[in-house]
Amino acid sequence: MSAVERLHVDWTRCDGRGLCTELLGELLAEDDWGYPVSTTGEVAPAVPRRLQRAAHLAVGECPRMALSLRPAP
Amino acid sequence: MTALSFPSAPAGPPPALLATTTSRRRLMACAAPDLASHLALVGPLPDAARLPGVRVAELAAEAGLTGRGGAAFPTGRKLASLGEAVRSGRPPVVVANGAEGEPASSKDHALLAHAPHLVLDGLALAVRAVTGAVGSSAGGAEAHLYAPAEVVRTLAPLLVERAAAGVDEVAVRSTAAPDRFVAGQSSAVASAVAGGPALPRTPWPPPRLVGAGTAQRPGRPTLVMNVETLAHLGLLARLGASWFRSVGTDDEPGTRLVTVSGAVRTPRVAEVAGGAPLADVLSAAGGASEQLSALLVGGYHGGWVPFGERAPHTASLPHSGSALAPWGADPGAGVVIALPSRACGLRAGADVARYLAAQTAGQCGPCVNGLPTLAEHLEALADAGAAVPSRQHSREGLARRVHELHRVAGLVDGRGACHHPSGSVRLVRSTLMTFADDVQAHLGGRCLAREER
Ligand code: SF4
Ligand code: SF4
């Protein structure tokens, strides 16, 4: 079993353009103001295996470099 | 303004007071304007041979000392937590944080005005703990005092005095803290002492590992400690862990400073035993000056505890994290505000929510957008109970706002670089819970507080 990763948003960077919610719609939705909010209810959602590639893509594509994947503690 | 109740230093030998086991006046018994009277009062700190750095952290852990800036993190663990970062060769920065951005708190200011040397002793011990833990000398370590500009100005001669007397291994520099609610958040403090803006940043990696830097470009490991925590450390190092624990309860050992304001006879900063009944905390400020309905415990990021005729059982409730948790409160930085029965709790909650919304550092979307939304809904709900509402409110519209308050609170909670959104949400949720009867009354255009008058 590989270690679980969580998707974190650096809120001081994110400007809510919503690219990530398109690339990773299963895990992220737009909140009332357009900022990504996890669909799981967690602040930093755990990324299921089958979404790992999409999550890495979203991290790489975020124009503000606001997303990061970190091993769950 | 809050009256301060620190006495000035008596002349003569160290008071037996400090060594007696039951006195609740500890920090407050240490008021001394200059180094000589401070040393006459409490004696010198044990030197590094008698109290090496590792022992400082152990002592704090044995005493059960926790942070008094609000987060209540165990001090022993915090002091030991820099070890790895310091071992990597980056000299640490230790900060005495007296920013006290919370408008209802003045205990840090009072402490720095009356017993500044005790705080600076604690800072010296914290430096010893983080450098001594790795067996290095203090070489390259920095010690900072971070406090409002006028405090920094007043204390400047003291720093000179200590440097001349050679009491500190590392000379203390000072940095002025801006007057802003979030300026005391530890990542903002780490940034400020490194010469940056006093703004919070995403706390990963934490400042204790990288200071104001990032994972890619780490700065110096930075330890931020509240000034009251340091003052306790300064006494504890002299008198020991069992002395510390001889007052207070098992889960809240020692004493703590509280700022008691609102409907009390003598609003003031007082020192109380940890876990003291809430009625005793009020008595330290002369007791209630009129009939109360609730206490705001823990400050603007805290929670409302029903109090007085409506809730006679809470008078004996301990001022402790575990006892206050059901109301979404904890002692926090020691703030207690007494709300009179004739004041509407929803109005009070809305006023605090509006203040908090204005204090976002403007960096994080959910905080910047969510807090004003919460304040607006809470204000409308409060307005509906006014004798002459500023506009028409329908029951359905108000019920929708209550629903929105819960929903938006869930959207804001945890989604910011600092604790501000979570703390603000806690206040809003606690307002809705503790004043649930008031919410029902307001939905029907009535107000329980108005009916009290
Ligand atoms: S792509 Fe980046 S900047 Fe855009 S909403 Fe997502 S996290 Fe924010
Ligand atoms: S969470 Fe709010 S107060 Fe904290 S840094 Fe972000 S915008 Fe500023």
Side-chain angles (χ1 to χ4, degrees):
Chain A
M1 232 186 75
S2 64
V4 184
E5 286 184 311
R6 288 186 181 278
L7 186 64
H8 292 258
V9 182
D10 181 340
W11 297 108
T12 64
R13 289 177 170 272
C14 171
D15 66 358
R17 297 279 179 72
L19 184 59
C20 56
T21 54
E22 279 167 38
L23 293 173
L24 204 52
E26 245 185 278
L27 208 55
L28 298 176
E30 284 189 27
D31 70 8
D32 294 20
W33 313 287
Y35 295 90
V37 60
S38 91
T39 52
T40 66
E42 300 161 288
V43 168
V47 181
R49 231 186 142 62
R50 68 193 152 71
L51 292 180
Q52 264 173 9
R53 284 187 52 159
H56 280 273
L57 183 68
V59 168
E61 292 294 313
C62 168
R64 306 271 304 148
M65 293 193 295
L67 295 173
S68 60
L69 283 161
R70 301 205 293 262
Chain B
M1 232 10 258
T2 304
L4 309 178
S5 57
F6 280 77
S8 56
L17 179 66
L18 283 180
T20 61
T21 52
T22 52
S23 175
R24 262 171 246 155
R25 294 172 50 81
R26 290 179 164 180
L27 304 183
M28 284 201 162
C30 292
D34 54 44
L35 188 57
S37 48
H38 170 67
L39 292 176
L41 200 56
V42 293
L45 276 183
D47 62 22
R50 274 185 54 220
L51 185 70
V54 271
R55 272 300 295 154
V56 174
E58 286 169 7
L59 203 54
E62 287 161 20
L65 178 60
T66 53
R68 298 294 157 83
F73 192 80
T75 305
R77 262 168 53 204
K78 192 163 175 176
L79 287 171
S81 70
L82 251 66
E84 201 160 314
V86 176
R87 263 188 294 271
S88 75
R90 285 173 290 134
V93 177
V94 182
V95 190
N97 183 9
E100 200 167 42
E102 164 81 57
S105 180
S106 41
K107 55 113 182 158
D108 290 341
H109 195 144
L111 180 65
L112 284 170
H114 290 81
H117 284 290
L118 199 57
V119 173
L120 295 167
D121 284 353
L123 179 57
L125 288 164
V127 169
R128 192 188 291 175
V130 300
T131 52
V134 288
S136 72
S137 76
E142 277 178 27
H144 284 264
L145 175 67
Y146 179 71
E150 79 271 16
V151 176
V152 161
R153 216 174 307 118
T154 319
L155 295 186
L158 261 86
L159 301 183
V160 175
E161 191 187 11
R162 286 178 78 94
V167 286
D168 298 321
E169 283 164 54
V170 176
V172 178
R173 310 179 197 176
S174 47
T175 303
D179 180 19
R180 189 188 300 138
F181 195 84
V182 298
Q185 298 260 344
S186 58
S187 65
V189 177
S191 170
V193 299
L199 290 174
R201 64 151 178 80
T202 289
W204 188 265
R208 68 183 162 76
L209 298 181
V210 299
T214 61
Q216 291 74 34
R217 288 202 299 144
R220 301 171 60 161
T222 304
L223 187 72
V224 180
M225 312 255 304
N226 172 259
V227 290
E228 182 193 339
T229 315
L230 291 172
H232 284 294
L233 195 60
L235 279 185
L236 175 58
R238 293 171 164 100
L239 297 162
S242 45
W243 167 83
F244 186 83
R245 283 185 169 277
S246 64
V247 167
T249 55
D250 280 350
D251 61 341
E252 299 280 345
T255 60
R256 69 181 316 141
L257 296 178
V258 289
T259 312
V260 189
S261 64
V264 289
R265 284 200 191 86
T266 47
R268 74 200 300 177
V269 172
E271 188 166 12
V272 298
L278 289 180
D280 288 10
V281 177
L282 279 192
S283 302
S289 56
E290 58 182 294
Q291 186 55 237
L292 304 183
S293 61
L295 304 179
L296 179 56
V297 183
Y300 285 13
H301 279 171
W304 297 98
V305 178
F307 197 88
E309 257 172 13
R310 279 199 202 182
H313 53 286
T314 60
S316 57
L317 194 75
H319 185 232
S320 72
S322 52
L324 295 166
W327 282 277
D330 61 36
V335 169
V336 176
I337 305 174
L339 184 78
S341 305
R342 65 188 162 79
C344 174
L346 296 177
R347 169 52 60 198
D351 289 347
V352 175
R354 177 55 67 190
Y355 172 86
L356 293 172
Q359 291 294 317
T360 84
Q363 305 191 101
C364 314
C367 178
V368 170
N369 294 284
L371 299 192
T373 307
L374 291 170
E376 192 206 314
H377 289 314
L378 204 50
E379 278 170 342
L381 193 58
D383 184 54
V388 186
S390 65
R391 58 190 139 126
Q392 283 274 315
H393 301 281
S394 71
R395 178 180 273 274
E396 297 68 41
L398 290 169
R400 199 159 47 239
R401 286 186 187 274
V402 174
H403 180 265
E404 280 297 284
L405 277 165
H406 288 290
R407 189 186 66 83
V408 176
L411 267 188
V412 171
D413 198 4
R415 295 176 69 224
C418 76
H419 177 66
H420 190 55
S422 301
S424 303
V425 160
R426 181 157 89 148
L427 183 279
V428 169
R429 286 181 172 147
S430 167
T431 304
L432 294 174
M433 182 179 70
T434 297
F435 302 114
D437 292 348
D438 304 74
V439 172
Q440 287 310 315
H442 280 226
L443 289 179
R446 292 171 44 229
C447 175
L448 302 181
R450 236 178 339 117
E451 290 161 12
E452 288 275 337
R453 285 172 218 152

